[in-house]
Amino acid sequence: MVRDIVKFGSKALRQKCQPIKTVNAQIEALIEDLFDSMRAAEGVGLAAPQIGMLKRVIIVDVSRQDPSHLPLALINPKLVKAEGKEITEEGCLSFPELYGDVERHTHVTVEALDTKGEAFTVEAEGFFARALQHEIDHLDGKLFIDFISPLKRQLMRGALKRLKKEGEQWDKENLAAK
Ligand code: ZN
């Protein structure tokens, strides 16, 4: 099911998410919703808090940029090795149409559980590595704008203000109801 992707300003984006203890049907449904929502928004990755679920689950799909990588779901992902550094522009589905230069590692190793609850390791570089780092950050409430230059952030001020209102409104309508 395609879910709302929450915007900057929502409290959901600033929380530390909970690890998954058991990979069950509920988690499988969450992953399906993440894929549906990411594809509808034409993104390359999505983290559970972006649809308001404070769980350590992310998906990454860079298959359009690099067909050698299949779409991937990672449960409890953990960055275990990171090397090299590179500054490139990136964006986020919680910040539509905003982009900024962010320094990321060029090579990373990530450990996670798959949809069957089995542990696996993924080694990534370049754009794939960047997408993984960006999504894992979401699970600790870290957002790409935390890393951009103060000047760039200043330039985005008006857009951020508008987004913040949108995120706060979503919280009012959705978090209060729970
Ligand atoms: Zn993001």
Side-chain angles (χ1 to χ4, degrees):
M1 189 175 62
V2 175
R3 308 263 294 261
D4 289 342
I5 293 177
V6 303
K7 304 303 185 306
F8 175 61
S10 168
K11 286 192 184 84
L13 295 177
R14 287 303 194 183
Q15 312 292 316
K16 198 166 168 66
C17 297
Q18 295 301 315
I20 304 303
K21 288 192 186 111
T22 323
V23 180
N24 53 24
Q26 206 189 338
I27 300 304
E28 279 174 44
L30 167 61
I31 289 170
E32 213 169 291
D33 284 357
L34 284 170
F35 273 113
D36 290 346
S37 309
M38 179 190 69
R39 284 177 179 143
E42 296 183 4
V44 295
L46 197 62
Q50 290 181 281
I51 58 169
M53 303 292 290
L54 301 181
K55 300 193 181 298
R56 299 191 83 81
V57 178
I58 63 169
I59 59 164
V60 170
D61 181 3
V62 295
S63 57
R64 258 183 308 155
Q65 289 76 11
D66 182 349
S68 70
H69 295 298
L70 295 173
L72 196 62
L74 300 98
I75 298 163
N76 301 340
K78 210 166 132 193
L79 197 67
V80 291
K81 202 172 150 193
E83 286 171 335
K85 280 189 177 163
E86 182 181 57
I87 298 174
T88 306
E89 193 170 68
E90 71 182 56
C92 176
L93 292 177
S94 294
F95 297 78
E97 287 162 44
L98 292 183
Y99 302 91
D101 285 338
V102 177
E103 185 180 88
R104 299 280 186 192
H105 294 290
T106 52
H107 294 74
V108 298
T109 305
V110 175
E111 287 175 0
L113 300 179
D114 66 14
T115 50
K116 292 187 179 69
E118 308 274 349
F120 72 101
T121 302
V122 56
E123 283 178 29
E125 61 178 291
F127 187 66
F128 186 33
R130 175 169 291 268
L132 283 166
Q133 291 167 84
H134 176 112
E135 299 310 331
I136 292 172
D137 271 353
H138 270 299
L139 304 181
D140 294 314
K142 285 188 256 173
L143 302 170
F144 87 101
I145 53 153
D146 302 341
F147 309 117
I148 65 175
S149 73
L151 176 65
K152 179 80 188 187
R153 203 173 157 136
Q154 185 71 13
L155 291 171
M156 286 182 180
R157 211 170 48 161
L160 288 176
K161 222 175 178 176
R162 279 193 297 279
L163 274 179
K164 198 158 175 256
K165 276 205 187 112
E166 216 183 302
E168 285 168 355
Q169 186 59 31
W170 188 90
D171 282 3
K172 235 182 249 168
E173 288 165 12
N174 294 275
L175 299 183
K178 276 177 194 167

